[in-house]
Amino acid sequence: MSNAPGQPNGGWVEVIAGVMFSGKSEELIRRVRRSLIARKRVQVFKSHLDDRYAGVFMVGSHDGRTIEAVPVDSSAQIALRLDPQAQVIAIDEVQFLDAGVVALVNSLADRGRRVILAGTDTDFRGEPFGPMAPLMCVAEYVDKLHAICVCCGAPATRNQRLIDGKPAHYDSPQVMVGGADSYEARCRSCHVVARDDGAQARLF
Ligand code: ADP
Ligand code: ZN
């Protein structure tokens, strides 16, 4: 296992956070590829909600070695399907997993594993998504990536959910499995959450 500064033998947790389209999966794949080049034993998991996410997620190295992501729905499934020999464990779309993933990744890091997590940190309302907040707290390393706002070109930090082309209502579910919704990357100023009173969602 390549060693991070100050961690001669131990493991650690890395979080790649950000909105949709910010390049989290690209960055996770880059890190996994480099681990494969370093001849580490790597296992990749990807949470999936329905058939949209069931497409095989392959990670390839330049020398032709490839690794397939294991689809999972829960932290318990990761624990069950874990390769005990894996030195590097990566999880994509970690925001969809249950709170148990926090203890799981802590325990993996405690046992010397490098854990790489990628997830959308905020939901369509701009609020913390699933276990992302505690994961970002327990991680040794956090990178927050930005997309490009499709409205104004500024760095995008929000997921704009559109239903039939209109901003979704605040009360619509956090996860819409199989819903007819779509998403855009937007900046704080251009992000809109519909409210009954017509106002944008604001804390103050
Ligand atoms: P994530 O995992 O964060 O959803 P991906 O790694 O799957 O992101 O995709 C990132 C890619 O998405 C970018 O390299 C770019 O080609 C493309 N892309 C599409 N829309 C945007 C956008 N609004 N801002 C930035 N990149 C975008
Ligand atoms: Zn904008």
Side-chain angles (χ1 to χ4, degrees), residues 149-155 186-191:
C149 175
V150 298
C151 299
C152 75
R186 293 197 187 179
C187 71
R188 179 186 288 271
S189 303
C190 298
H191 181 240

Side-chain angles (χ1 to χ4, degrees), residues 29-46:
I29 289 166
R30 189 184 79 90
R31 293 184 193 186
V32 165
R33 280 201 181 121
R34 291 167 62 87
S35 299
L36 290 169
I37 291 165
R39 307 212 165 273
K40 302 299 177 197
R41 193 166 170 123
V42 182
Q43 194 177 23
V44 183
F45 294 92
K46 186 175 173 74

Side-chain angles (χ1 to χ4, degrees), residues 18-27 92 146-150 185:
V19 283
M20 294 166 70
F21 310 110
S22 62
K24 301 181 298 295
S25 296
E26 289 174 349
E27 179 59 21
D92 197 22
H146 300 139
I148 302 299
C149 175
V150 298

Side-chain angles (χ1 to χ4, degrees), residues 1-202:
M1 182 169 295
S2 65
N3 298 325
Q7 295 166 334
N9 299 308
W12 65 89
V13 178
E14 303 164 26
V15 172
I16 307 161
V19 283
M20 294 166 70
F21 310 110
S22 62
K24 301 181 298 295
S25 296
E26 289 174 349
E27 179 59 21
L28 179 134
I29 289 166
R30 189 184 79 90
R31 293 184 193 186
V32 165
R33 280 201 181 121
R34 291 167 62 87
S35 299
L36 290 169
I37 291 165
R39 307 212 165 273
K40 302 299 177 197
R41 193 166 170 123
V42 182
Q43 194 177 23
V44 183
F45 294 92
K46 186 175 173 74
S47 83
H48 70 294
L49 291 166
D50 60 27
D51 290 345
R52 288 178 303 170
Y53 296 89
V56 177
F57 184 77
M58 299 291 294
V59 179
S61 67
H62 197 66
D63 62 4
R65 286 190 298 165
T66 57
I67 186 167
E68 194 173 313
V70 180
V72 288
D73 286 324
S74 66
S75 57
Q77 280 184 9
I78 295 177
L80 277 174
R81 301 179 75 173
L82 203 61
D83 171 1
Q85 304 301 318
Q87 299 159 295
V88 178
I89 291 125
I91 311 174
D92 197 22
E93 305 279 17
V94 71
Q95 77 277 4
F96 292 131
L97 294 177
D98 52 281
V101 72
V102 182
L104 177 71
V105 302
N106 261 335
S107 124
L108 288 169
D110 289 346
R111 287 182 281 132
R113 291 354 183 249
R114 174 184 177 187
V115 182
I116 307 170
L117 307 172
T120 302
D121 50 347
T122 56
D123 64 12
F124 76 95
R125 305 180 189 103
E127 295 175 353
F129 204 146
M132 288 303 289
L135 287 172
M136 290 165 83
C137 293
V138 302
E140 273 82 357
Y141 305 99
V142 177
D143 288 289
K144 180 151 172 161
L145 307 185
H146 300 139
I148 302 299
C149 175
V150 298
C151 299
C152 75
T157 56
R158 298 288 185 273
N159 296 299
Q160 178 67 53
R161 179 188 282 171
L162 298 169
I163 300 177
D164 296 329
K166 295 188 187 118
H169 194 276
Y170 183 88
D171 292 335
S172 69
Q174 187 180 53
V175 178
M176 292 180 72
V177 179
D181 52 335
S182 61
Y183 290 93
E184 288 179 354
R186 293 197 187 179
C187 71
R188 179 186 288 271
S189 303
C190 298
H191 181 240
V192 180
V193 181
R195 296 276 210 172
D196 287 339
D197 60 7
Q200 293 186 13
R202 295 277 181 231

